[in-house]
Amino acid sequence: MPYEAKNFDHLLGTPGFSDQLLKNHFTLYQGYVTNTNKLADILAQMVKEGKTGTPEYAELKRRFGWEFNGMRLHEYYFGNMIKGGKELDKGSAFYKKLTEDFGSYENWEKDFKASGTMRGIGWVVLYLDPIANRLFNTWINEHDLGHLAGSIPLLIMDVFEHAYMIDYGLKKADYIEAFFKAIDWSVVVNRFNNAPKVTL
Protein backbone atom coordinates (compact mmCIF):
# COMPACT_ATOMS: atom_id res chain seq x y z
CA MET A 1 0.00 0.00 0.00
CA PRO A 2 1.58 3.32 -1.05
CA TYR A 3 2.21 6.16 1.37
CA GLU A 4 -0.05 9.17 1.01
CA ALA A 5 1.01 12.75 1.68
CA LYS A 6 -0.74 14.27 4.68
CA ASN A 7 -2.44 17.64 4.41
CA PHE A 8 -0.93 20.32 6.66
CA ASP A 9 -2.78 23.31 5.19
CA HIS A 10 -4.17 24.09 8.66
CA LEU A 11 -0.71 25.56 9.41
CA LEU A 12 -1.15 28.31 6.82
CA GLY A 13 -1.35 31.63 8.61
CA THR A 14 0.97 30.54 11.42
CA PRO A 15 2.68 33.67 12.81
CA GLY A 16 6.33 33.78 11.81
CA PHE A 17 5.81 31.50 8.79
CA SER A 18 4.69 33.03 5.51
CA ASP A 19 2.22 31.05 3.41
CA GLN A 20 4.79 30.99 0.58
CA LEU A 21 7.36 29.38 2.88
CA LEU A 22 4.90 26.78 4.15
CA LYS A 23 3.49 25.95 0.70
CA ASN A 24 6.99 25.46 -0.69
CA HIS A 25 7.82 23.27 2.29
CA PHE A 26 4.65 21.18 1.85
CA THR A 27 5.55 20.64 -1.83
CA LEU A 28 9.04 19.51 -0.89
CA TYR A 29 7.57 17.08 1.67
CA GLN A 30 5.18 15.69 -0.95
CA GLY A 31 8.22 14.96 -3.13
CA TYR A 32 9.66 12.74 -0.40
CA VAL A 33 6.40 10.81 -0.22
CA THR A 34 6.41 10.33 -4.00
CA ASN A 35 10.04 9.20 -4.07
CA THR A 36 9.57 6.83 -1.13
CA ASN A 37 6.79 5.10 -3.05
CA LYS A 38 8.82 5.05 -6.28
CA LEU A 39 11.85 3.52 -4.60
CA ALA A 40 9.78 0.90 -2.77
CA ASP A 41 8.21 -0.16 -6.08
CA ILE A 42 11.51 -0.19 -8.00
CA LEU A 43 13.30 -2.19 -5.30
CA ALA A 44 10.48 -4.74 -5.13
CA GLN A 45 10.60 -5.12 -8.91
CA MET A 46 14.38 -5.59 -8.86
CA VAL A 47 13.99 -8.39 -6.32
CA LYS A 48 11.49 -10.13 -8.61
CA GLU A 49 13.87 -9.74 -11.56
CA GLY A 50 16.85 -11.13 -9.66
CA LYS A 51 18.78 -7.85 -9.75
CA THR A 52 19.69 -7.69 -6.07
CA GLY A 53 23.38 -8.19 -6.79
CA THR A 54 23.65 -5.09 -8.94
CA PRO A 55 25.22 -1.73 -8.03
CA GLU A 56 21.95 -0.07 -8.99
CA TYR A 57 20.04 -2.10 -6.39
CA ALA A 58 22.63 -1.31 -3.73
CA GLU A 59 22.52 2.44 -4.36
CA LEU A 60 18.72 2.58 -4.44
CA LYS A 61 18.60 0.54 -1.23
CA ARG A 62 20.88 3.08 0.44
CA ARG A 63 18.80 5.94 -0.94
CA PHE A 64 15.54 4.53 0.42
CA GLY A 65 16.30 5.47 4.04
CA TRP A 66 17.08 9.03 3.01
CA GLU A 67 13.80 9.49 1.15
CA PHE A 68 11.75 7.69 3.82
CA ASN A 69 13.23 9.74 6.66
CA GLY A 70 12.71 12.91 4.63
CA MET A 71 9.03 11.98 4.47
CA ARG A 72 8.57 10.89 8.06
CA LEU A 73 10.62 13.65 9.72
CA HIS A 74 8.54 16.27 7.92
CA GLU A 75 5.38 14.58 9.20
CA TYR A 76 6.69 14.71 12.76
CA TYR A 77 7.79 18.33 12.27
CA PHE A 78 4.53 19.66 10.84
CA GLY A 79 2.67 17.44 13.29
CA ASN A 80 4.25 19.11 16.33
CA MET A 81 3.26 22.61 15.14
CA ILE A 82 0.01 24.50 15.54
CA LYS A 83 -1.07 28.01 14.63
CA GLY A 84 -0.44 30.15 17.72
CA GLY A 85 1.28 27.34 19.62
CA LYS A 86 -0.01 25.34 22.59
CA GLU A 87 1.62 25.69 26.00
CA LEU A 88 3.50 22.94 27.77
CA ASP A 89 1.67 21.50 30.76
CA LYS A 90 4.07 21.94 33.66
CA GLY A 91 2.19 19.32 35.62
CA SER A 92 2.77 16.63 32.96
CA ALA A 93 5.02 13.63 33.42
CA PHE A 94 6.90 14.80 30.32
CA TYR A 95 7.73 18.18 31.86
CA LYS A 96 8.92 16.50 35.05
CA LYS A 97 11.12 14.15 33.01
CA LEU A 98 12.53 17.06 31.01
CA THR A 99 13.53 18.93 34.14
CA GLU A 100 14.89 15.76 35.72
CA ASP A 101 17.16 14.94 32.77
CA PHE A 102 18.30 18.49 31.94
CA GLY A 103 18.16 20.12 35.36
CA SER A 104 15.52 22.63 34.25
CA TYR A 105 13.29 23.44 31.31
CA GLU A 106 15.54 26.41 30.59
CA ASN A 107 18.60 24.15 30.31
CA TRP A 108 16.76 21.88 27.90
CA GLU A 109 15.62 24.81 25.75
CA LYS A 110 19.11 26.31 25.66
CA ASP A 111 20.57 22.97 24.52
CA PHE A 112 17.86 22.37 21.91
CA LYS A 113 18.22 25.86 20.41
CA ALA A 114 22.02 25.63 20.47
CA SER A 115 21.78 22.37 18.53
CA GLY A 116 19.61 24.12 15.95
CA THR A 117 21.97 27.05 15.45
CA MET A 118 24.97 24.85 14.70
CA ARG A 119 26.37 25.17 11.19
CA GLY A 120 25.02 22.62 8.76
CA ILE A 121 21.76 21.25 7.40
CA GLY A 122 19.55 18.73 9.08
CA TRP A 123 17.21 18.36 12.02
CA VAL A 124 17.13 18.68 15.78
CA VAL A 125 15.25 15.89 17.52
CA LEU A 126 14.33 15.53 21.17
CA TYR A 127 14.57 11.77 21.57
CA LEU A 128 13.36 9.48 24.32
CA ASP A 129 15.56 6.42 24.79
CA PRO A 130 12.84 4.01 26.02
CA ILE A 131 15.33 1.45 27.30
CA ALA A 132 17.18 3.77 29.70
CA ASN A 133 14.23 6.21 29.97
CA ARG A 134 16.44 9.17 29.10
CA LEU A 135 15.90 12.28 26.96
CA PHE A 136 18.47 13.58 24.48
CA ASN A 137 18.60 16.53 22.08
CA THR A 138 20.15 15.13 18.93
CA TRP A 139 21.52 16.59 15.70
CA ILE A 140 20.49 14.66 12.58
CA ASN A 141 22.65 15.33 9.54
CA GLU A 142 20.66 15.41 6.29
CA HIS A 143 17.84 12.92 7.10
CA ASP A 144 19.66 9.75 7.89
CA LEU A 145 22.81 10.27 9.98
CA GLY A 146 22.75 10.56 13.75
CA HIS A 147 19.49 8.88 14.70
CA LEU A 148 19.56 7.12 18.06
CA ALA A 149 18.62 3.49 17.37
CA GLY A 150 15.37 2.46 19.01
CA SER A 151 14.66 5.92 20.38
CA ILE A 152 11.33 7.73 20.07
CA PRO A 153 11.18 11.19 18.41
CA LEU A 154 9.18 13.57 20.60
CA LEU A 155 9.90 17.03 19.18
CA ILE A 156 11.34 17.65 15.72
CA MET A 157 12.67 20.90 14.28
CA ASP A 158 13.71 21.24 10.64
CA VAL A 159 16.88 23.31 10.22
CA PHE A 160 17.42 22.84 6.49
CA GLU A 161 17.58 26.23 4.76
CA HIS A 162 14.26 25.61 3.01
CA ALA A 163 12.54 25.71 6.41
CA TYR A 164 13.36 29.38 6.99
CA MET A 165 15.38 31.23 4.32
CA ILE A 166 12.44 32.68 2.38
CA ASP A 167 11.32 34.47 5.55
CA TYR A 168 14.52 34.85 7.56
CA GLY A 169 17.47 34.75 5.17
CA LEU A 170 20.49 33.69 7.23
CA LYS A 171 18.85 34.53 10.57
CA LYS A 172 18.31 30.94 11.65
CA ALA A 173 18.02 31.92 15.33
CA ASP A 174 15.01 34.12 14.53
CA TYR A 175 13.35 31.21 12.75
CA ILE A 176 13.95 29.00 15.79
CA GLU A 177 12.22 31.57 18.01
CA ALA A 178 9.22 31.55 15.64
CA PHE A 179 9.20 27.76 15.66
CA PHE A 180 9.10 27.67 19.46
CA LYS A 181 6.04 29.93 19.42
CA ALA A 182 4.33 27.43 17.09
CA ILE A 183 5.06 24.23 19.03
CA ASP A 184 2.02 22.14 19.92
CA TRP A 185 3.26 20.81 23.25
CA SER A 186 0.16 18.63 23.64
CA VAL A 187 1.40 16.55 20.69
CA VAL A 188 4.87 16.22 22.24
CA VAL A 189 3.39 15.18 25.60
CA ASN A 190 1.16 12.67 23.83
CA ARG A 191 4.15 11.16 22.00
CA PHE A 192 5.93 10.83 25.35
CA ASN A 193 2.92 9.28 27.08
CA ASN A 194 2.35 6.79 24.26
CA ALA A 195 6.01 5.76 23.92
CA PRO A 196 6.43 2.00 24.32
CA LYS A 197 8.34 0.56 27.26
CA VAL A 198 11.26 -1.40 25.80
CA THR A 199 13.75 -3.89 27.18
CA LEU A 200 16.59 -5.61 25.36
Side-chain angles (χ1 to χ4, degrees):
M1 175 177 266
Y3 290 100
E4 294 185 8
K6 299 179 186 302
N7 187 319
F8 295 106
D9 284 350
H10 62 277
L11 292 176
L12 294 173
T14 298
F17 294 80
S18 69
D19 284 356
Q20 181 187 359
L21 177 90
L22 287 171
K23 287 177 180 178
N24 285 358
H25 209 165
F26 298 158
T27 300
L28 186 130
Y29 152 67
Q30 291 158 6
Y32 286 116
V33 178
T34 298
N35 286 341
T36 296
N37 288 324
K38 281 182 181 177
L39 282 180
D41 290 345
I42 292 169
L43 287 165
Q45 188 63 35
M46 292 181 85
V47 170
K48 290 177 185 175
E49 295 172 358
K51 295 180 179 178
T52 55
T54 63
E56 291 82 3
Y57 176 85
E59 290 309 308
L60 291 175
K61 197 71 168 178
R62 291 187 180 99
R63 180 73 180 190
F64 181 79
W66 194 86
E67 297 288 355
F68 180 92
N69 285 341
M71 171 185 73
R72 187 52 45 82
L73 286 167
H74 278 100
E75 291 170 351
Y76 276 115
Y77 169 69
F78 294 131
N80 57 217
M81 294 173 64
I82 191 169
K83 200 181 302 182
K86 195 171 284 188
E87 287 189 6
L88 175 55
D89 178 4
K90 294 184 178 180
S92 65
F94 167 74
Y95 183 85
K96 291 173 184 174
K97 183 62 180 164
L98 201 67
T99 57
E100 176 186 318
D101 284 7
F102 288 88
S104 68
Y105 171 86
E106 291 73 21
N107 285 345
W108 167 79
E109 183 177 303
K110 185 187 295 184
D111 184 62
F112 191 91
K113 288 180 176 178
S115 301
T117 55
M118 296 189 316
R119 289 173 60 82
I121 54 172
W123 304 80
V124 181
V125 179
L126 171 61
Y127 266 125
L128 169 66
D129 172 10
I131 296 170
N133 192 31
R134 291 184 62 185
L135 297 172
F136 295 95
N137 290 325
T138 307
W139 171 264
I140 306 303
N141 193 56
E142 295 273 341
H143 305 311
D144 52 344
L145 299 175
H147 291 284
L148 305 183
S151 295
I152 311 297
L154 302 178
L155 175 67
I156 289 77
M157 179 172 68
D158 190 344
V159 284
F160 275 80
E161 287 94 341
H162 61 248
Y164 61 88
M165 283 197 78
I166 289 176
D167 291 351
Y168 295 97
L170 297 176
K171 297 178 180 177
K172 191 196 290 190
D174 291 348
Y175 153 71
I176 291 172
E177 291 302 319
F179 169 77
F180 262 73
K181 292 175 184 173
I183 293 173
D184 185 346
W185 283 108
S186 68
V187 169
V188 180
V189 169
N190 194 50
R191 289 171 181 170
F192 176 81
N193 290 340
N194 290 327
K197 306 302 180 191
V198 178
T199 55
L200 291 177

